[in-house]
Amino acid sequence: MTAAILAGVLVAGGVYLVLQRGLIRMAFGVILLGHAANVVLLAAGGLYRREAALIDQIAAVQAAADPLPQAFVLTAIVITFGVTVYLVALAGSGSGDDTEETT
Amino acid sequence: MVLVTVFIGLAATTAVAPLLASRLGRAAGWPLAAAFAALTALTATQAPAVLAGQAVEFSWAWIPSIDAAFRLRLDGLGLLFTVLVLGIGALIMAYCARYFDAKSSQSRFYTLMGIFAVAMLGLVLADDLLLLFVFWELTSICSFFLIGGAGDKAVEPARRALVVTAGGGLALLAAVALLSVQTGTTQLSTILADPGWTEGWTGPLVAVLVIIAAITKSGQVPFHFWLPGAMAASTPVSAYLHAAAMVKAGIYLLMRFSPVFHDMPLWNGVLVLVGLATAIYGAALALKQTDLKSLAAMSTVSQLGYLVAIIGVGTSYALAAAAVHTLAHALFKASLFMMVGVVDNQTGTRDLHRLGGLRRLMPASAVITALAALSAAGVPPLLGFYSKEKMFAGFVDADGPVWAGPLLGLLAVVAAVLTFGYCARFWFGVFGGPLSERTDVREAPAPFLLAPAITGAAGALLGVGVVTLAPFAERITADTGFPGAGVEIHLIPGLSVDLGMSVVAIALGILLHLRREQAGALLDRVRTPFTGDGVFDRAMAGFVAAGSRAGGLTRTFSPAAHLPPAIVLLGVLSAAALWWGTPVGPLQELLVRPTDWIVVGCVAVAVLAAVVVRTRISAVVLLGVVGALMGLWFLLLGAVDVALTQLVVEVLTVVVLVLVLRRLPSRFHSTGTLRRSLAAVLAVGAGALAAGGTLLLTNRRELSEVSRWLMANSKEETGGINVVNTILVDFRALDTLGEVTVVGLAALGILALLRTTSLTGSAAIELTGGTRPEDDPVDNTIVVRTVGRIMAPAIVLLSLYMLFRGHNAHGGGFIGALVAGAGLCLAHAAAPDPRRSLVRRIPYVPVIAGGLALAVVTGLLGYLVGGGFLTPFPIELGFTYISSAVVFDVGVYLIVVGAVVAALHRLAIAELLEDDAAPPGAASRPADDTQYPMVAVGSGGRDSEEGEL
Amino acid sequence: MIATALPLVFAAPLLASAILMVVHRPIWARRAVLVGTVGAVLAYGVVLVAATNGGTVLVADIGLWPGGIAIPFVADMFSALMVTATALLTLVCVAFGIVAGEDEQHYFAPFVLALYGGVAGALLTGDLFNLFVCIEVMLLPSYVLISMFGGENRLKAGRIYITYNLLASAVFLFGVAFVYGVIGTVNFAELAGAAKESTAVAVAMGVVLVALAMKSGVVPVHGWLPRTYPETSPAIAAIFSGLHTKVGIYAIYRLYALVYDGDERFLGFAVLFMCLTMAFGAMSAVGEDTIRSVLAFNMVSGIGYILLGVALFGPLGLAAGIFYLLHHMVVKTSLFLSAGAVEVRYGTQRLDELGGLAGREPLLAFAFVGAALSLIGMPPFSGFAGKFVLLQASFAESAYFAAFIILAASLLTLLSMGRVWNSVFWGPVRREPDDTTGTAAVTGAADTDAVVAGNGEGGAVLQKRRTHAKATSPLTHVSPALAAPALVLTLVSLGIGLGAEGLLNLTQQAAAGLTDTSSYIEAVIGR
């Protein structure tokens, strides 16, 4: 429930921002959408298990959070970071971040 | 074998045509004509066998999986058309040898004509529908280039011809596909022999498609307009195209399919209707033409209409008539066109107003033309008379209601009267009446007249010896669906209805010629409200406009405008999924903890604030808050590594954002209320979708099997106890390799981008502040610098620690590198002057490249040691072992550090240094350059080369 | 042995990319690494086609982890064909880039290599999340390659491309999350048939398919494509046309066959969408004013044709679609390269500024017209075979409406390509080559300098040079080397058309691998 609301809020904010004028705001939107995707990815592993997945003994398996989505999220965070940095640089080059044709 | 010899022979002739033409110029026509003639003779040797009902066949595998093959088959129908294609081809080639300018090189022309002939030959010999289609379209393509190559004015007519004929060809393709699906083969003779597929609506559909293909190709109303346009091509092309090739292809196709369709009312009705309409319309238009060539062209339209209609009648008698008339038309039409060319060449004009009375100056031409015109007009004893009479008989005897025969006969006579009229107009216009102003016109040389003389004479001879055609006609009747039906042809026709019709037609025709003035005036008053060309051009313009509008829907450079369709599409699909109903399992218990709500609430507030604020810097701050809250959320879920990564990434993102934001206006661009509301609606919808999806599709199952395995085996398999990290560097190292590649490339992308494009605006950081102490950039950052000097090395050390402990505790290459990146940011901020920043001393491109290479090479070493790509293996260090995964992680570390440095350098420093390179007197303090010479020298080259070594 | 080497198709281009990031000179060595790497992948692709002939499925578990845990790289006939085709196109485009001087841009080579690595990974991976990663590896260089040649419009195009793809990637990621959330795996083989059994999986995977459709340029989410492709540099446009949307299409084929097991519930809907795409794309192309924007819209239309194959499903439809896919890749790239050659030498691609090139550039004219005819569906080029098998499939599935749209859209394509041909290649010559652009700027400049420097009898030499230029230049302005890449692909199309059996046979095998996924599943997870 909480994850769903969180994802919903982030997506709503993200979509609103990517539909705005100006590449920087769009970049903000993309960042929020990235957050939302990460929230859903972790939720996909199941929120009812919330211990860190440091497994020294088999017993710990019982409560540990699903590690696979965590790995996905790590990868996704880094990819989003890379792309966002490029996007931001693109926003700051040329004639600026305004995305509308000659206004 | 003969078939394939003929085919290959023609192809070989075509292949040498350019060579001949470049050697001999226009005279290449002679050897080409000889080759065509020889091939005609070779084909003719098969006539006895063909007449005996033994079709000559050849087959060679082509696309066995759809049972398409290179199948050739020569039956009676094929023989008729083959002889036309090759025989008329030979004469046209001979004609070309004198038609063109003596000095011109005609290698393009001869090559295209050769290909045209090959395509036509293949078309009439093909016993495979797919093969037939190939040659069918090939003739369209050849004619396109033959027409369009004639000059700038021919470009539009060529396009019309291509669109109409090739478009019709697409209908043929559909017919072929449908037939091959229904019958499992594309072999024409098999398909025609077993008409089981005509049941249901496959039959009518195929019939319609075949008709579309045929009437577009044969220039029938309403697709007739391309044919006169094709006159733009040179006269030999027109002669060939009208007499033996291209337009005859449609006739051939109709006759070919006659066996299965001749008793289908749809087929009969459409063909007769279209054919007779075309016959009358074309003949009437021919009467109006003043250009000889246009007259001949409209005559073709009309005569083909005749043929289409008689094929549509579909009785054995009608088909025999169609066969004979095809031959007759080929002969007289070839003559007429070639004579147009002769007259044009000798007098320099084709305009009937400027011609006349040439019978004395060009007697031989007058005779040849007369032979052709009389045959066309249906005057005995020329072949055209007999063929037309047969057709009259065919129309009168048509199946169907009682009134059908007489009505069709009447219409046929009307067309014949008009035909007589324009034939008379043709001859008298050129050769009859008083001599026009030109008196210097000479008779054409004999070689030039040779070809038309042969076709003209052939029409006369075959007329006199028309009875010899009976076995051929009988054979063709058999091939078009009436085996065993006898065909009687008499030299002296008995008293019959059709003879009467001929007499009436000729008598009225003479009357029409005598009253040509009045008839012309009458015709001039009848004006069609539109022309085919006009309709085509308007339709074309309409398509262009409509296309432009369709394309205009997305013709915007605003990135945001391209996003809503995707969101709406997702919404529609999700709504559909909900409407259909999607059963899902029960939710797991213990999902929600009270602390969760705090994070959710804070995020909601921060997001809302970030959405509404107007200044960029506050949005960045709020975004940072959201990022930090996300880290907290991840921590709540037990995803410690994710949380760490999230926090550090957030710091770095904010740093980069700030570096760019200082170049941009401090407030966001404003947008209209409407746009904001639309965006809000979409946003709320998308948010609801995401929330709904998350609610319905997650948290409804036990721990996944793969994760269970990973948790149970990761220590044993990899030696690491941090499962997340072992997934990253061991189990799914490939993902990691991909993702760090992305980061490295993103950094290099910034470099590449900024090579051709400069950063916008100017950095707001003022190196030259005021005179007050707090303006001094060195002094007012003293705190940061002090902290930074101490902290930066510590942070770098920390990062290394994080890197190496990753396998067993929270950390790893990513987190380590990101921490290092944060440290470098601090170090950069701590430098009193960007020029002295630590960042400048790191050769980041080699670091990125080296990291990537290290990661890949470690993976490759897995082949040598472990047997597979990215297979981890232990590395002996003397005192201990480490997993190669750690080395891989070092590669990851290097790439990420390099990327962070690259971004910092390029966005924060490089431009400042470029400014320094500007002429003296620029804003910066010159003292710096002398004060830190080592730095400038040591890295100057790198800065201008963007960090390359 | 052949299977073990599968990951190299991903790794080798990345390694080569890393090397070319730092190795600048000599230029021939850079070119050797670039061409050599792609050439090696091409050769390996051919080996893969041979090895998968007969239905063999090759698997390499990355890191040799057990099946189901490891990320598998899987090659069956379909992916082998795609690897071969993409490598061939990349090679040809790279050759064009070298001739046109685009590879002088320092980052051209490393980015193209990384891009190709991503493409190859996406074609071979058997893991949904890894597919996401590989697509990102493909996209990031693309973001840069669009904009890095400078110019306001390229920046704008880059902005559209990046924001649009970021949204698509986010959607993709949501889809992956939902899939994992519902069923707990992202392995293709383990997902096999899941969407047919469970509507929840179908919905979750549907989100992934929408993301892929976005990346493929299906109407109504096509608008970005004709905005971006015409603005990039010529070689890049050609590379994109051959690779990018095709990766999305490949994934749609793969996922629909494996995960949905060809579920018939959604096919009618898909046919409708594809008809819309075919017709709308072809219609829009008629109204465009530059060569490349015509081509871009025709590309949208072509995507409809290709995906119609999967929408018709069944052995006939899939084989037809895959055949059309390969044909379309070759032909479209050829056309973009022809357009690029015109642009490089004449400095414009506007229809109303060009004219009369047929007489001056016979090689290029042939390359263009051949590919154009192929695109329309004219024999003897590959297009007619592609359209024929698609029509067959439509009739076999009683999709008469789709057959009608195939023909109607072909006619519209004929109109648009005829318009390009008439404006650019026939009619009056409207524009002389612009010697300040393209290769002239790169190769000609040094020459001129030398002449000017040798100032002694400079005037005379200059005069001589001018007359020399006058004597040679009007014959042809597009050097054979610049026309060759497009020509090669046009000839490939001709070969595919004449020898359709060979490719048809292979695509039938590829289709068989999609209709019967048991050997794929067996090879990856052993059940």
Side-chain angles (χ1 to χ4, degrees), chain B residues 164 211-212 215-228:
Chain B
V164 172
I211 289 173
I212 292 176
I215 65 174
T216 48
K217 198 85 163 178
S218 289
Q220 298 297 290
V221 171
F223 303 111
H224 61 284
F225 58 89
W226 72 264
L227 236 183

Side-chain angles (χ1 to χ4, degrees), chain B residues 573 576-577 579-583, chain C residues 193-206 209 256 259-273 310-313 397:
Chain B
L573 294 182
W579 186 63
W580 264 320
T582 304
Chain C
K196 200 171 191 174
E197 287 163 21
S198 148
T199 315
V201 179
V203 171
M205 195 51 100
L209 291 186
Y256 204 81
V259 182
Y260 289 78
D261 201 10
D263 194 341
E264 285 166 7
R265 283 177 293 172
F266 312 111
L267 291 182
F269 190 61
V271 168
L272 214 63
F273 257 86
V310 75
L312 294 170
F313 220 77
E397 302 289 333

Side-chain angles (χ1 to χ4, degrees), chain C residues 203-288:
Chain C
V203 171
M205 195 51 100
V207 178
V208 174
L209 291 186
V210 168
L212 290 170
M214 287 174 73
K215 288 176 193 287
S216 306
V218 172
V219 173
V221 284
H222 66 288
W224 58 278
L225 197 156
R227 279 298 86 207
T228 49
Y229 283 24
E231 304 298 342
T232 61
S233 81
I236 298 305
I239 290 180
F240 280 21
S241 81
L243 307 187
H244 277 66
T245 53
K246 308 308 182 291
V247 168
I249 286 168
Y250 165 85
I252 292 176
Y253 265 85
R254 177 67 76 196
L255 290 176
Y256 204 81
L258 264 174
V259 182
Y260 289 78
D261 201 10
D263 194 341
E264 285 166 7
R265 283 177 293 172
F266 312 111
L267 291 182
F269 190 61
V271 168
L272 214 63
F273 257 86
M274 293 319 138
C275 287
L276 184 66
T277 305
M278 284 190 275
F280 194 84
M283 184 73 240
S284 306
V286 181
E288 290 300 303

